[in-house]
Amino acid sequence: ITISGSGITSANIADGTITTDDILASDVSSLKSGRKNLIINGGFQVSQRGDYTTATAMVHDSYFLDRWKCNVSGVTGTLQDTTNKVKLVATSSATGYLRIIQLFEVAEINKFAGQQVTFSAKVTSNSSDARLLIYADGWTSTSSHSGGGTEETLSITITVPSGGVSNFFTYVGINGVNAASVSITSGDYAEISGVQLELGSVATDFEHRSYG
């Protein structure tokens, strides 16, 4: 067996003191396995309030699929469970936003204070304002979807402040940079799957978990 990496020496190997600090951050992703995803129900498997196989009107600040709350303003829209995906569709034209949000207990995030975390999702959309957001006592946005109707992987990497945060929320949907309202047209949609939040600077493959 060969062990190598930035900072690893024969002395480390001999005395068993290899730590993650001895491995390049870009290599850490290849070592990840099991329970890496901090998002709960990122595969949209669990829907104890209903199956949502037909379009359901989105209600702001209300939970539908487990752990996911609707976050909608200015426009109306529907939510639909499309088998391990969720589809948000605008049903009016106006300025606003159409998205879903997952809230975190800060103790779960603050244990990573001073470290990088990466938020990612697969998004299919006809809107170039489909994007991811993180609120960690301040907004961070990812580059938006192309709007071309194909599935694209979007991601954001942030460093959790060394002093921790008071609030930490993740958002996916149609909205502007740093959560700004945008012009939305009836029929604009975002279909979302494989939502993940993980330690490190690289968005790795989605962690599939059994329903149990």
Side-chain angles (χ1 to χ4, degrees):
I1 299 173
T2 300
I3 302 175
S4 62
S6 172
I8 295 177
T9 65
S10 57
N12 293 142
I13 295 170
D15 64 18
T17 60
I18 298 172
T19 70
T20 55
D21 290 335
D22 298 318
I23 304 171
L24 287 169
S26 58
D27 294 332
V28 171
S29 62
S30 65
L31 305 177
K32 291 181 178 178
S33 63
R35 295 299 184 263
K36 64 183 178 182
N37 192 359
L38 301 177
I39 294 281
I40 296 176
N41 200 27
F44 305 109
Q45 295 171 286
V46 186
S47 180
Q48 297 181 86
R49 297 169 179 82
D51 60 16
Y52 305 110
T53 53
T54 57
T56 300
M58 294 177 67
V59 178
H60 179 69
D61 213 30
S62 294
Y63 285 100
F64 286 84
L65 293 148
D66 285 35
R67 290 283 178 157
W68 291 101
K69 184 182 284 192
C70 289
N71 197 239
V72 57
S73 176
V75 295
T76 57
T78 59
L79 174 149
Q80 183 178 4
D81 179 1
T82 53
T83 309
N84 297 333
K85 297 182 179 182
V86 63
K87 189 172 186 178
L88 313 179
V89 182
T91 54
S92 67
S93 300
T95 298
Y97 51 78
L98 190 74
R99 59 201 185 201
I100 54 175
I101 173 178
Q102 186 159 146
L103 290 70
F104 285 78
E105 294 185 7
V106 292
E108 184 70 10
I109 295 300
N110 286 344
K111 65 185 179 183
F112 299 121
Q115 300 182 73
Q116 290 183 308
V117 294
T118 297
F119 177 45
S120 61
K122 293 181 178 180
V123 179
T124 303
S125 183
N126 61 353
S127 171
S128 59
D129 283 309
R131 55 169 45 87
L132 314 184
L133 303 169
I134 291 177
Y135 184 81
D137 292 343
W139 291 104
T140 304
S141 308
T142 188
S143 297
S144 63
H145 191 280
S146 69
T150 58
E151 184 177 85
E152 300 173 14
T153 298
L154 306 179
S155 68
I156 304 175
T157 297
I158 70 163
T159 299
V160 180
S162 58
V165 294
S166 300
N167 296 281
F168 193 95
F169 312 139
T170 54
Y171 297 77
V172 190
I174 300 173
N175 47 197
V177 172
N178 295 340
S181 294
V182 292
S183 178
I184 297 175
T185 300
S186 181
D188 285 355
Y189 73 89
E191 189 170 37
I192 303 153
S193 64
V195 187
Q196 185 155 281
L197 180 71
E198 60 191 306
L199 182 65
S201 59
V202 178
T204 65
D205 290 345
F206 178 68
E207 178 187 0
H208 293 275
R209 296 187 190 179
S210 67
Y211 185 90

